[in-house]
Amino acid sequence: MVIAGPSGAGKTTLAHALLEKVKRCRFSVSDTSRPIRSGETDGVDYRFLDEETFRRRIDEKKYAEWAKVHGDYYGTPLSEIDGGLSEGRTIVLDIDVQGSALIRAAYPESLGVFVVPPSMALLEERLRARGTENEDRLKRRLENARAELNHMFEYDYIIVNDRLEEAIGQLVAIVRAERHRASRLRRVE
Ligand code: 5GP
């Protein structure tokens, strides 16, 4: 399952809430070359690598997808997906729209959920409140958000993250319903 949408829309919060509420879900831990933020743990939120190591792993074909997002490298290791799927789990990918297009092409059975902020003004407010970016990086994220929003109708579901509890409920309902889709049950048998 891919959760996509602009940075600041609340994807990571939603993904973690989903993991608490629905069994047999696993968060896919990405590699990134961006600097670690306070409050993040290496190996839990991301695996933080230097650019050289990241590029070497690209050459070694270690990624199911990778992309340069806001100037830094991000990638989903193949091992995150394949290990979890063989255990029959829902693997939750919190990635950008470039990466999700690649995953959707490589795994046609994947489920795509797009998380939208209620407005651009609120997105800016959230990103500022988060306080993790300097002004330049914040501007870049907002410009990218506008471009990313053009892709929302390519997804299976759209969640407007206005009230968090409501958005969590919608995401949980989507995952539960998908698990009962006949075509997915047939595939498992
Ligand atoms: P942040 O730096 O705020 O944690 O993430 C920036 C953006 O990169 C977010 O939209 C996030 O979903 C995306 N991202 C995180 N991991 C990956 C990944 O493995 N691949 C891709 N393509 N995007 C990712």
Side-chain angles (χ1 to χ4, degrees):
M1 169 185 186
V2 171
I3 303 182
S7 107
K11 284 175 294 178
T12 312
T13 310
L14 283 171
H16 284 104
L18 174 72
L19 263 70
E20 272 176 25
K21 288 183 190 285
V22 181
K23 285 189 191 136
R24 288 190 294 112
C25 286
R26 204 175 84 178
F27 187 70
S28 161
V29 180
S30 296
D31 288 357
T32 184
S33 66
R34 85 143 158 75
I36 189 165
R37 291 177 191 148
S38 75
E40 286 182 327
T41 310
D42 191 13
V44 174
D45 298 288
Y46 286 102
R47 264 171 248 93
F48 295 93
L49 309 176
D50 56 53
E51 265 196 43
E52 194 190 324
T53 310
F54 198 107
R55 277 199 235 111
R56 196 180 61 238
R57 293 199 182 181
I58 295 173
D59 292 342
E60 291 168 352
K61 308 218 178 320
K62 294 262 199 266
Y63 295 116
E65 62 75 34
W66 65 271
K68 228 173 173 183
V69 189
H70 319 305
D72 294 305
Y73 287 100
Y74 293 82
T76 306
L78 274 166
S79 53
E80 289 291 313
I81 300 185
D82 295 342
L85 288 182
S86 62
E87 292 164 6
R89 291 177 192 274
T90 302
I91 313 301
V92 182
L93 274 64
D94 163 3
I95 62 178
D96 85 315
V97 297
Q98 307 170 72
S100 42
L102 295 167
I103 291 289
R104 312 253 299 138
Y107 299 85
E109 72 280 21
S110 64
L111 169 69
V113 176
F114 195 93
V115 181
V116 199
S119 69
M120 282 303 291
L122 206 74
L123 183 69
E124 180 166 355
E125 206 176 285
R126 281 183 190 164
L127 279 174
R128 284 191 190 282
R130 194 162 89 177
T132 53
E133 312 302 318
N134 65 29
E135 193 60 28
D136 274 357
R137 289 176 71 103
L138 193 121
K139 283 219 177 83
R140 169 126 68 141
R141 282 181 182 241
L142 286 172
E143 277 164 24
N144 290 345
R146 280 198 186 85
E148 291 196 316
L149 287 172
N150 290 328
H151 291 275
M152 68 177 156
F153 292 106
E154 294 161 18
Y155 289 78
D156 299 304
Y157 294 94
I158 295 172
I159 293 179
V160 181
N161 187 10
D162 189 357
R163 292 218 307 257
L164 182 63
E165 282 310 312
E166 222 168 89
I168 293 170
Q170 289 164 357
L171 187 60
V172 168
I174 289 167
V175 173
R176 293 215 166 112
E178 281 294 317
R179 285 185 175 174
H180 290 274
R181 195 182 277 277
S183 57
R184 291 191 190 278
L185 294 172
R186 201 178 306 127
R187 205 169 288 127
V188 168
E189 279 167 1

